[in-house]
C-alpha cells in the first residue's frame, strides 16, 4: 500500500481570481470613487438652470460694487422672481426700521424727547432711559405701554405699510397713489439711483443699530451718539 499523506504540512495557496498588484488596487479604488461621485453629482441641466436663475438677478437694484451679486447663504439658489421679490421686500422693511431705530438713538441720546406725559400717571417721556434699557430693566416702560406700541406697529404693518392698491412698481413701493413726491415724473436712472441709495442706507443702518445694541451692553462711548 502506498504511504498515507501526512495530515500536517503546508496547504497550497488557492489561485486569486483578481490580481493583487498595487497597480490594480489603485485602479479599482479610483473606479469606485468615480462611480460614487457620479451618483451624487448634479446633472448638467440642473446646474445650468440654477446658474441661469442666479444670473437673472445680477442686474437687479442693489447689486453694486465692490461685492456685486452677493448671496453667501445661497438664498436665491434655484429661486424664481417671486422668491427674489419677497426677500427684497423683507430687506427693505428691515432697512427702513433700522434707519428709524438708529436715528432714534441719536436723537434721544442727545436729550431730545417728546414733550408731555407718556401715561396718565404723569410720567414724562424723558423719565425713561434710552436704548434697550427702555424695554428691558428696572426702569423700562411698563408692559402696558409696550403692548400699545406693538399694537400700533401691527396696525401699520397690516393696514398702512403695504401695497394696498396693488399699484406698486417694485417691492416696498407703498405710495398707493398718495405719497408720490414727483416720483412718477422722474427718469428710470433717477429712480434706480434713489432705490439703490435707500438699500445702501438700510443695510448700513442694520449694521449700525446692531453695533449700538452691542456697545450699549458693553457700556461704550460712541461718537455722535455718546455714552451708551
Amino acid at each position: 500500500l502506498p504511504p498515507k499523506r501526512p495530515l500536517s504540512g503546508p496547504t497550497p495557496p488557492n489561485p486569486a481570481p483578481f490580481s493583487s498588484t498595487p497597480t490594480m488596487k489603485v485602479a479599482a479604488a479610483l473606479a469606485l470613487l468615480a462611480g460614487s461621485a457620479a451618483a451624487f453629482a448634479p446633472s448638467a441641466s440642473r446646474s445650468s438652470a440654477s446658474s441661469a436663475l442666479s444670473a437673472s438677478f445680477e442686474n437687479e437694484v442693489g447689486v453694486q460694487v465692490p461685492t456685486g451679486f452677493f448671496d453667501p447663504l445661497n438664498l436665491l439658489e434655484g429661486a424664481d422672481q417671486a422668491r427674489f421679490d419677497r426677500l427684497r421686500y423683507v430687506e427693505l422693511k428691515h432697512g427702513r426700521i433700522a434707519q428709524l431705530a438708529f436715528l432714534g438713538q441719536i436723537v434721544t441720546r442727545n436729550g431730545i424727547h417728546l414733550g408731555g406725559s407718556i401715561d396718565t400717571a404723569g410720567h414724562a417721556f424723558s423719565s425713561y432711559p434710552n436704548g434697550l434699557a427702555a424695554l428691558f430693566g428696572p426702569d423700562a416702560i411698563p408692559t402696558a405701554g409696550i403692548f400699545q406700541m406693538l399694537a400700533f406697529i401691527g396696525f401699520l404693518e397690516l393696514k398702512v405699510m403695504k401695497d394696498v392698491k396693488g399699484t406698486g412698481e417694485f417691492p416696498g413701493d407703498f405710495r398707493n397713489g398718495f405719497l408720490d413726491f414727483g416720483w412718477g415724473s422722474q427718469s428710470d436712472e433717477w429712480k434706480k439711483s434713489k432705490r439703490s441709495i435707500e438699500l445702501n442706507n438700510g443695510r448700513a443702518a442694520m449694521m449700525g443699530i446692531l453695533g449700538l445694541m452691542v456697545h450699549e451692553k458693553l457700556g461704550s462711548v460712541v461718537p455722535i451718539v455718546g455714552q451708551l
Side-chain angles (χ1 to χ4, degrees), residues 55-145:
S56 64
F57 304 125
E58 291 181 354
N59 295 322
E60 291 282 352
V61 175
V63 179
Q64 303 173 16
V65 295
T67 58
F69 180 74
F70 187 66
D71 184 23
L73 299 179
N74 293 324
L75 297 177
L76 294 175
E77 185 71 24
D80 55 7
Q81 189 64 43
R83 169 68 173 170
F84 176 85
D85 290 344
R86 172 61 183 171
L87 293 176
R88 173 51 50 85
Y89 167 76
V90 172
E91 180 185 18
L92 273 171
K93 180 169 67 173
H94 288 176
R96 290 166 178 173
I97 294 172
Q99 290 177 77
L100 289 173
F102 193 89
L103 182 61
Q105 286 270 11
I106 295 176
V107 171
T108 55
R109 290 186 183 280
N110 279 275
I112 303 174
H113 299 86
L114 293 175
S117 301
I118 195 173
D119 55 19
T120 56
H123 297 102
F125 285 91
S126 59
S127 64
Y128 291 97
N130 302 313
L132 289 175
L135 302 176
F136 310 102
D139 300 323
I141 298 172
T143 304

